[in-house]
Amino acid sequence: MRWIIFVVVYVLLDIYAYQVFRTISRYSWIYYLYLFFSLVILANILYQFNSGSGEGWAGAKSYAIGFFLVFFLPKLIFFIFMFGEDVVRFIVATFRKIGNNSNNFSLPSRRKFISQVALGLAAVPFASMLYGMYKGRYNFRVLKHTLYFDDLPAAFDGYRISQISDIHSGSFDNPEKIKYGVDLLKEQQSDVIFFTGDLVNNKATEMDDWKEMFSSVKARDGVYSILGNHDYGDYVQWESTAAKEANLERLKDVHAEMGWNLLLNEHRFLERDGEKIALVGVENWGAGGFKKKGDLDKAGAGLSAKDFKVLLSHDPSHWEEKVRYDEKHYQLTLSGHTHGMQFGIEIPGWIKWSPVQYRYKHWAGVYKELGRAMNVNRGFGFLAYPGRVGIWPEITVIELKKGPKPA
C-alpha cells in the first residue's frame, strides 16, 4: 500500500513538472525526454527496494536514492509554483464568470514567466544534489576548535584531540578519495584520536577493503573508539541471531586489528606529568527508538566530579537527555550520528541550517550548557544519499586549554 501511495504522489508531481516544460518549450521531445528519465528513476527505486537485496541502504540502493532525490526535489518546486498558479487561475476564472454573468468557466492560460521562475529555482537543488554525489561526499574539511576548562589538569593545557565519526565504510567506492581523507586526519598530528561510532552500515565485512588504510591512523596517546547504532547490524535481516551476534564480535575484532581501543561502557586514563584525564566510552544510547545499550553509570564507575573526563557517546541525544545533568560532571562529550543530514547551509557567523535540526536540537558543531561542552561531528562518510551538499565530511581538531576563555 505504501508503494501505491508513493507512486501516486510521484506521478502527481510529474504532471505538474510536465506542464512546466510544456509551457516553456514548444519542442515536445524535451518534455518527453524528461518523462522518460523520470519514469526510469521511479522504476529503478521501486526495483531496488523490492528486489530483496540484503545490502541495506548502500550500493545500488544508495544511488537509486540519490538520483531519486535529484529529480524529486525539483518536482516539489515545480508543484509549489504550478499548484499556486492553478489556485490563482481558478480564482480569476471564477471572478470572470461571476462578473460576466456567463455560463462558461475557463481557466486562463499558464504564464510562461511563472514556469521559467520555477525552472530556474528548481535548477538549484538539481545541480546541488548532483554536485553532492559527484564531489561533495569527499569534500573533506578540517574544523578546529579551542575549548577552555577551568578544571583541566595543567599538564594537558594545549592538548590536541582529533575526532572523526560515522565512517560508514559500506558506502565507500573511491579508495583514492578515502586515502586523502585518512591522510588529512594523520596530518593533524594530534595527541589522541577518537572515533565516535558507525564504522560500518551493517556488516563487519564492509571494512575488509578499508581496514589496512584506517590501520595507518596513529596518535601518540592512541586511537580510541566506540560503537554506533549501525554497528550492531540491526538494519538487515540475518539468517539467525547467532549470525548477527557473530557479526558484532567480528566488528569488535576489526577495531582491535586496526590498533583502535574500543571502549564498551568503560573508561581509561591518559597520564601526563603525573596528571591524568579520563576517557569514557559508552555503547550506543539514542532517543527516539534507537538502541540504548549505553550505560553511563557503568562506564564512569569509580570516577568523581573532580576528575576531568572526555566522554565518547555516538548519539547527541544522550548528552541532551542524560549526560549534561549527570552529577559526575562530564566536561566534554564527543558525538556524531546526525551527519548534519548531509544537506544544509552553513556560512560561519551567518547561518547554520539543516532539516536535521527539526529532529535533533544538537546536530553539528560545539554546544555549551550547564558548564559542559559537546562537539557533534558531521561525519566522515555518508549513508543512503551518496553525497553531501553544504554539510561536508568532517575531521574535528579540538585543542584543550586551561582557564577561562579570553575576552
Side-chain angles (χ1 to χ4, degrees), residues 5 15 53 55 152 182 184 218 220 268 342:
I5 296 174
I15 292 173
S53 171
E55 65 185 358
L152 179 71
V182 171
L184 193 60
K218 307 291 183 184
R220 186 181 69 172
R268 312 275 179 87
Q342 299 168 210

Side-chain angles (χ1 to χ4, degrees), residues 19-226:
Q19 293 179 48
V20 170
F21 288 99
R22 187 174 182 182
T23 303
I24 291 176
S25 177
R26 56 192 177 93
Y27 299 107
S28 59
W29 66 268
I30 292 179
Y31 38 88
Y32 287 139
L33 183 65
Y34 164 81
L35 286 177
F36 170 76
F37 279 112
S38 184
L39 290 174
V40 168
I41 296 297
L42 175 61
N44 184 44
I45 199 167
L46 290 174
Y47 170 77
Q48 293 298 336
F49 280 85
N50 291 280
S51 62
S53 171
E55 65 185 358
W57 285 29
K61 282 186 178 180
S62 180
Y63 281 97
I65 293 171
F67 285 112
F68 170 78
L69 291 174
V70 166
F71 271 73
F72 187 76
L73 294 182
K75 291 177 195 290
L76 289 178
I77 294 177
F78 291 153
F79 173 78
I80 292 171
F81 275 83
M82 294 298 99
F83 182 75
E85 186 184 24
D86 278 347
V87 172
V88 173
R89 292 166 68 210
F90 180 82
I91 294 173
V92 170
T94 301
F95 275 101
R96 284 180 179 176
K97 182 179 184 303
I98 296 174
N100 296 330
N101 293 317
S102 172
N103 291 325
N104 296 323
F105 182 87
S106 60
L107 295 173
S109 300
R110 290 196 177 279
R111 290 182 292 173
K112 188 175 183 178
F113 172 74
I114 298 297
S115 294
Q116 289 173 330
V117 172
L119 183 63
L121 291 177
V124 175
F126 180 82
S128 297
M129 299 299 283
L130 282 178
Y131 173 83
M133 293 171 65
Y134 171 67
K135 190 173 182 179
R137 58 183 174 165
Y138 295 130
N139 188 19
F140 294 100
R141 301 291 178 89
V142 177
L143 300 184
K144 298 183 178 182
H145 306 283
T146 301
L147 299 180
Y148 293 82
F149 300 93
D150 291 331
D151 55 350
L152 179 71
F156 288 88
D157 187 24
Y159 196 76
R160 283 167 55 87
I161 293 169
S162 281
Q163 180 198 1
I164 60 171
S165 191
D166 299 88
I167 287 175
H168 288 286
S169 58
S171 299
F172 291 160
D173 58 8
N174 191 322
E176 181 180 348
K177 296 295 186 181
I178 300 306
K179 184 178 184 302
Y180 168 76
V182 171
D183 288 344
L184 193 60
L185 170 62
K186 293 190 291 186
E187 286 174 11
Q188 307 312 308
Q189 297 184 338
S190 292
D191 297 297
V192 68
I193 296 174
F194 295 135
F195 170 68
T196 47
D198 278 1
L199 186 63
V200 297
N201 293 340
N202 297 292
K203 299 180 178 180
T205 53
E206 295 169 15
M207 275 300 293
D208 288 352
D209 294 334
W210 311 101
K211 186 171 63 173
E212 182 178 354
M213 188 181 298
F214 282 94
S215 296
S216 68
V217 174
K218 307 291 183 184
R220 186 181 69 172
D221 289 338
V223 180
Y224 293 84
S225 58
I226 57 172

